[in-house]
C-alpha cells in the first residue's frame, strides 16, 4: 500500500438486526469500532454500502460496510472503489475466520478465498485477490454443530467478555497496516497468543 493513496477499509458482515451480534459479523464490529474510535460517521450510502470518509492516524480513508449479504459483498466494494478511484492494492478487508482460534488475528497481503464467501465475492468482482485481509478468529464449533449455525450464531457469554479486547486489538492492527505496512502488521499480530494473554 502506498502512503499517499486514499485507502479503503472494508468490514464484512450481513445486514439487519438478525445478524448484528453474530460471529459472521466480526468485520462489521471492527469497522464500527474504527468509525467510533476515529470519529468517522458511517452515514453515507452509495452502491449498496454504508461508508464514511476521514483520517486514521493521518491516513485518508474510506471506511465501509457492504449492505448486500455476505456472498454478494463484491459488487458494492468494487463500485465504491471505482467511484473513489482506489486501487485493489490500497484495500484492506476485515472478516471472520473459522480456521483461526477465537481471539487470534491474522494479516495476509493476498491469496485465495479460503472458503469465505465474502472474500470469494470480492475476488470475483475485482478479478483477483491482490488485497490485504485482516482475519478475526472465531474458532470452530463442536462437531455436532454445523458451520452455518456456528458462524451465524451469537458469541457465547465467555466470548463476549473478551470481544471488546479483540475488536480493540483489531483496530490496532488496522492502524499498523495503514501506517507501517502489512509486513509490520504481520510481524506484530500474526502470532498464536489468545486474547486473554495479550
Amino acid at each position: 500500500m502506498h502512503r499517499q493513496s486514499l485507502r479503503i477499509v472494508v468490514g464484512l458482515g450481513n445486514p439487519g438486526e438478525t445478524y448484528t451480534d453474530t460471529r459472521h459479523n466480526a468485520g462489521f464490529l471492527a469497522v464500527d469500532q474504527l468509525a467510533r474510535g476515529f470519529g468517522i460517521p458511517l452515514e453515507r450510502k452509495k452502491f449498496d454500502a454504508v461508508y464514511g470518509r476521514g483520517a486514521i492516524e493521518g491516513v485518508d480513508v474510506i471506511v465501509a460496510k457492504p449492505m448486500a449479504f455476505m456472498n454478494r459483498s463484491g459488487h458494492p466494494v468494487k463500485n465504491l472503489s471505482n467511484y473513489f478511484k482506489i486501487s485493489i492494492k490500497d484495500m484492506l478487508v476485515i472478516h471472520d475466520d473459522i480456521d483461526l482460534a477465537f481471539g487470534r488475528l491474522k494479516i495476509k497481503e493476498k491469496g485465495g478465498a479460503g472458503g469465505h464467501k465474502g472474500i470469494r465475492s470480492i475476488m470475483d468482482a475485482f478479478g483477483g485477490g491482490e488485497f490485504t485481509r485482516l482475519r478475526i478468529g472465531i474458532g470452530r464449533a463442536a462437531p455436532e454443530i454445523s458451520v452455518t449455525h456456528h458462524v451465524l450464531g451469537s458469541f457465547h457469554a465467555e466470548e463476549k467478555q473478551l470481544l471488546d479486547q479483540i475488536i480493540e486489538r483489531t483496530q490496532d492492527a488496522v492502524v499498523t497496516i495503514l501506517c507501517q505496512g502489512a509486513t509490520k502488521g504481520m510481524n506484530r499480530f500474526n502470532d498464536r497468543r489468545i486474547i486473554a494473554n495479550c
Side-chain angles (χ1 to χ4, degrees):
M1 290 183 177
H2 309 294
R3 286 295 297 274
Q4 71 275 17
S5 302
L6 174 64
R7 317 290 185 82
I8 185 167
V9 179
V10 178
L12 297 186
N14 285 310
E17 291 183 11
T18 303
Y19 303 100
T20 299
D21 295 319
T22 61
R23 296 181 182 89
H24 219 21
N25 274 32
F28 274 13
L29 295 175
V31 161
D32 288 340
Q33 172 61 35
L34 279 173
R36 287 191 300 270
F38 291 95
I40 306 173
L42 296 174
E43 296 177 344
R44 303 182 191 183
K45 296 181 180 179
K46 191 180 283 289
F47 306 124
D48 207 11
V50 296
Y51 70 96
R53 183 168 182 170
I56 294 178
E57 299 294 342
V59 179
D60 191 14
V61 294
I62 300 293
V63 178
K65 300 192 296 186
M67 289 290 107
F69 280 91
M70 181 75 78
N71 61 356
R72 297 198 297 271
S73 299
H75 288 296
V77 176
K78 174 66 171 172
N79 290 334
L80 206 54
S81 296
N82 286 348
Y83 180 77
F84 286 104
K85 298 180 172 59
I86 301 172
S87 163
I88 187 174
K89 293 183 180 180
D90 287 319
M91 179 167 66
L92 170 61
V93 179
I94 309 172
H95 66 95
D96 62 298
D97 193 323
I98 63 172
D99 291 324
L100 285 179
F102 179 79
R104 280 195 62 200
L105 301 179
K106 188 167 185 180
I107 298 162
K108 191 175 182 182
E109 285 195 271
K110 56 186 177 180
H116 195 283
K117 292 181 180 179
I119 295 296
R120 170 52 59 195
S121 179
I122 292 173
M123 290 179 65
D124 289 345
F126 281 86
E130 303 289 314
F131 55 91
T132 302
R133 307 97 190 277
L134 172 50
R135 298 153 58 187
I136 302 173
I138 60 171
R140 286 192 174 272
E144 66 274 12
I145 300 175
S146 72
V147 170
T148 299
H149 183 79
H150 179 63
V151 299
L152 294 181
S154 297
F155 291 98
H156 298 313
E158 60 271 22
E159 292 174 333
K160 288 180 180 179
Q161 292 178 359
L162 298 172
L163 194 55
D164 285 348
Q165 294 177 57
I166 295 168
I167 298 304
E168 286 175 10
R169 193 166 184 238
T170 302
Q171 177 175 291
D172 290 344
V174 171
V175 171
T176 300
I177 294 165
L178 293 177
C179 297
Q180 301 179 49
T183 301
K184 288 276 190 181
M186 286 186 271
N187 291 339
R188 180 177 174 191
F189 294 95
N190 287 12
D191 57 43
R192 296 187 176 275
R193 290 179 297 170
I194 61 172
I195 194 72
N197 293 331
C198 293

